[in-house]
Amino acid sequence: MPAVTVENPLTLPRVTAPADAAARPVLAVTTAPSGFEGEGFPVRRAFAGINYRHLDPFIMMDQMGEVDYQPGEPKGTPWHPHRGFETVTYIIDGVFDHQDSNGGGGTITNGDTQWMTAGAGLLHIEAPPEHLVMSGGLFHGLQLWVNLPAEDKMMPPRYQDIRGGSVQLLTSPDGGALLRVIAGELDGHAGPGITHTPITMVHATLAPGAEITLPWREDFNGLAYVMAGRGSVGAERRPVHLGQTAVFGGGGSLTVRADDRQDSHTPDLEVVLLGGQPIREPMAHYGPFVMNTKDELMQAFEDFQKGRLGTIPAVHGMQEGGL
């Protein structure tokens, strides 16, 4: 996992929760089922089986890979529409190209993030570059969907290119954990991602035996997804491992601990920590659209079918043959 790192975490600002912060209990631990997305790349559905009231404002998250492709195997997604939410694509290993009908796009690699606000709607494509298709190689990342409140669902689309070098790096008091703040803030330290819905997104790497107890906004929910390794969550030390999501209850702090021994192919515990302010509005979700009502969903499909969500750039339209 070559996501952004440092040789000596003790050179970084240190974060810990106040001693009197109420510890968040662990409400549930779920295991992500495996599936395939787009043109056939393997994913783990991180939030499958979790009641939406614990996820709000997050909608879904897929762990893409980790997979070591042979030459000719790397896959992406074809052109497709979105409306009503934001997609966050975080690449840990490998390379992904993005382009959308609003003019946004770029290439992301180790530790980079693309933050696309679909808003009123657009078309986009995500795919490995041709050189990676030819050579094969390791690919690993996450895609997170963040809901937008009704007042922002039809806002103009926006694209953010967040380079790995711009994330806010923090550590635990003993230096046993490296915390990468991608969006939102942690203990007053802000990440580069600009969000409409207040959230915090942190990629934490914990050395074997390391523990973190982080301050967490009491008006946010709390989720921890294990991308690699083994550990435990909460003061009760509930066991978690690769592909599992922990759902935290209310409180002012959350705790994650890495097991003293990790799997042979995983030196550390890798966890994504998510928190957000629930929107608490009705949600109508079908396919690539997330709206508030069924009528709005039907309008989104009609707008897509009539070409109102944008058009594929001509150079791609000729290659892809359109939609």
Side-chain angles (χ1 to χ4, degrees), residues 98-100 103-107 114 159 161:
H98 167 99
Q99 186 175 8
D100 65 50
T107 299
Q114 289 176 339
Y159 180 83
D161 191 358

Side-chain angles (χ1 to χ4, degrees), residues 17-100:
D20 60 352
R24 287 179 172 243
V26 178
L27 302 181
V29 172
T30 63
T31 301
S34 297
F36 294 91
E37 187 56 76
E39 296 171 339
F41 59 81
V43 297
R44 287 186 175 91
R45 309 287 192 192
F47 295 161
I50 300 174
N51 190 300
Y52 182 65
R53 66 188 175 91
H54 298 309
L55 298 177
D56 185 12
F58 307 110
I59 302 164
M60 58 154 279
M61 186 169 72
D62 285 346
Q63 181 179 12
M64 305 180 292
E66 180 175 12
V67 57
D68 195 359
Y69 283 121
Q70 296 300 308
E73 285 186 343
K75 299 174 177 68
T77 64
W79 283 95
H80 59 283
H82 286 305
R83 172 181 279 180
F85 65 102
E86 300 183 286
T87 67
V88 182
T89 306
Y90 175 49
I91 297 299
I92 300 164
D93 291 288
V95 186
F96 229 30
D97 287 338
H98 167 99
Q99 186 175 8
D100 65 50

Side-chain angles (χ1 to χ4, degrees), residues 9-15 168-172 179 189:
L10 290 175
T11 62
L12 302 172
R14 304 180 197 187
V15 176
Q168 174 69 60
L169 300 180
L170 307 169
T171 191
S172 52
L179 309 170
H189 302 276

Side-chain angles (χ1 to χ4, degrees), residues 34-305:
S34 297
F36 294 91
E37 187 56 76
E39 296 171 339
F41 59 81
V43 297
R44 287 186 175 91
R45 309 287 192 192
F47 295 161
I50 300 174
N51 190 300
Y52 182 65
R53 66 188 175 91
H54 298 309
L55 298 177
D56 185 12
F58 307 110
I59 302 164
M60 58 154 279
M61 186 169 72
D62 285 346
Q63 181 179 12
M64 305 180 292
E66 180 175 12
V67 57
D68 195 359
Y69 283 121
Q70 296 300 308
E73 285 186 343
K75 299 174 177 68
T77 64
W79 283 95
H80 59 283
H82 286 305
R83 172 181 279 180
F85 65 102
E86 300 183 286
T87 67
V88 182
T89 306
Y90 175 49
I91 297 299
I92 300 164
D93 291 288
V95 186
F96 229 30
D97 287 338
H98 167 99
Q99 186 175 8
D100 65 50
S101 57
N102 194 52
T107 299
I108 51 175
T109 186
N110 306 335
D112 297 337
T113 302
Q114 289 176 339
W115 200 293
M116 186 185 80
T117 304
L122 45 58
L123 308 177
H124 83 141
I125 187 172
E126 294 170 304
E130 185 62 26
H131 70 83
L132 182 62
V133 176
M134 297 297 292
S135 66
L138 193 62
F139 182 83
H140 189 200
L142 291 173
Q143 185 166 93
L144 171 71
W145 289 15
V146 185
N147 203 4
L148 289 170
E151 63 183 11
D152 292 330
K153 282 194 179 294
M154 297 299 287
M155 68 175 291
R158 182 181 66 181
Y159 180 83
Q160 298 176 69
D161 191 358
I162 303 170
R163 292 294 147 187
S166 69
V167 302
Q168 174 69 60
L169 300 180
L170 307 169
T171 191
S172 52
D174 63 359
L178 176 60
L179 309 170
R180 306 167 188 86
V181 184
I182 298 169
E185 66 174 40
L186 184 62
D187 198 28
H189 302 276
I194 300 171
T195 71
H196 288 280
T197 304
I199 73 164
T200 293
M201 180 178 182
V202 178
H203 172 192
T205 299
L206 285 74
E211 181 175 292
I212 52 175
T213 298
L214 303 178
W216 211 251
R217 279 180 52 168
E218 294 197 14
D219 60 334
F220 277 20
N221 60 357
L223 302 161
Y225 176 74
V226 181
M227 294 188 293
R230 295 179 175 274
S232 59
V233 288
E236 59 270 50
R237 293 198 173 186
R238 184 89 170 262
V240 290
H241 58 73
L242 167 64
Q244 291 190 316
T245 301
V247 179
F248 290 91
S253 70
L254 57 79
T255 297
V256 179
R257 187 184 187 281
D259 284 356
D260 293 334
R261 291 191 176 186
Q262 296 295 324
D263 300 331
S264 60
H265 62 284
T266 303
D268 303 307
L269 174 66
E270 305 282 352
V271 181
V272 171
L273 303 173
L274 295 169
Q277 191 172 68
I279 295 173
R280 296 193 177 94
E281 294 177 349
M283 185 180 70
H285 171 204
Y286 189 81
F289 305 124
V290 182
M291 306 303 292
N292 292 100
T293 68
K294 183 178 179 181
D295 286 345
E296 290 171 346
L297 274 185
M298 293 174 66
Q299 185 64 55
F301 276 102
E302 179 182 329
D303 289 348
F304 167 56
Q305 291 165 352

